[in-house]
Amino acid sequence: MDSQGGPYLNKEALCSTLGGARLCQLAMGCAVIAMVTHSAGYSGSHGVFCMTAWCCCFAVSAAVFFLDATRLYSFLRVSWDNLTVTWAACATLMYVTASVVYPLFFVQSECPYEGCEVRDFRIAVTVCSILGTLAYGAEVALCRARPGQIVVGYMATVPGLLKVVQGFVSCIIFGALANGSQFSRYAATIYCVVIYASCFALTALVVILTVCKRTKTVRCMPFDRFVVVCTFMEVLLYLSASVVWPVFCFDTKYGSPWRPSSCPQGKCPWDSKVVVAVFSCVNFGLYLADLLYSQRIRFGSSRVPTNSRV
């Protein structure tokens, strides 16, 4: 028993639906890592990415489960509810990506030269990875704020979860830019890269301030208004980048609208430019949805005092 007469262990972390979801995350993560290291194997940059994602998710999820079960999170100077839902959303995206990349590059219909046992292990890894995705998605669904409920933290709202997705999409864009996209050829494409970096920095700032309980640091205006202003600016910036990037990459005056026949598969700058163009539009849509939903929550909270954001 602790000094206040309560139990040392948090039973809700073990016997609740949320605790069950986290136990499933740990079980699936452990199974995936064990099978990959035992027989399934991985190689190349894609395999390293998948293995890194699985190991990172398992390690952080184990720490979250331990801190929640022992109540030691109360000693951390962070908003625990915001931190856990942010991590669950991030881990869901990482697992989704790994669940697509791993079978795409390592699972074949025919048995590889290593034998059918390796193929079967790789299929099992894919299945466990998909189940892990569902477990993390279940945690997000359980923690997500719903209409009519008291919002525990901003990151549990739809705009907060969209912030995580926006940051993840930005990382995909950065990866494509680093993969020989030749963005430095024109000032306009450099301008787009500056936009991607600036918007990512603003999004990360909002998430960090929320998780670290530093929302009152923004003294010039209320934090919810600050978030809306930042999102509005990001929408305008991404709108310009979504127009400028394709023009200076695929117009015949500056580039090629079609994939060059001499471009090597997997190492073609044109492919990276397409990835950046597509995900620029995706992120523009995410920021626009974020802005619209933020306005909805702001007006809704003015009518229902118990549904305000932290």
Side-chain angles (χ1 to χ4, degrees), residues 102-117:
Y102 189 82
L104 185 64
F105 287 92
F106 296 97
V107 177
Q108 303 174 356
S109 58
E110 299 179 356
C111 296
Y113 65 89
E114 298 95 337
C116 291
E117 182 182 0

Side-chain angles (χ1 to χ4, degrees), residues 100-156:
V100 173
V101 172
Y102 189 82
L104 185 64
F105 287 92
F106 296 97
V107 177
Q108 303 174 356
S109 58
E110 299 179 356
C111 296
Y113 65 89
E114 298 95 337
C116 291
E117 182 182 0
V118 174
R119 182 199 61 180
D120 296 340
F121 267 104
R122 290 177 177 177
I123 294 175
V125 167
T126 303
V127 173
C128 289
S129 183
I130 294 173
L131 293 177
T133 303
L134 296 177
Y136 281 108
E139 180 176 350
V140 175
L142 290 170
C143 297
R144 184 177 67 86
R146 292 173 176 81
Q149 291 182 339
I150 298 177
V151 179
V152 178
Y154 170 72
M155 296 306 299

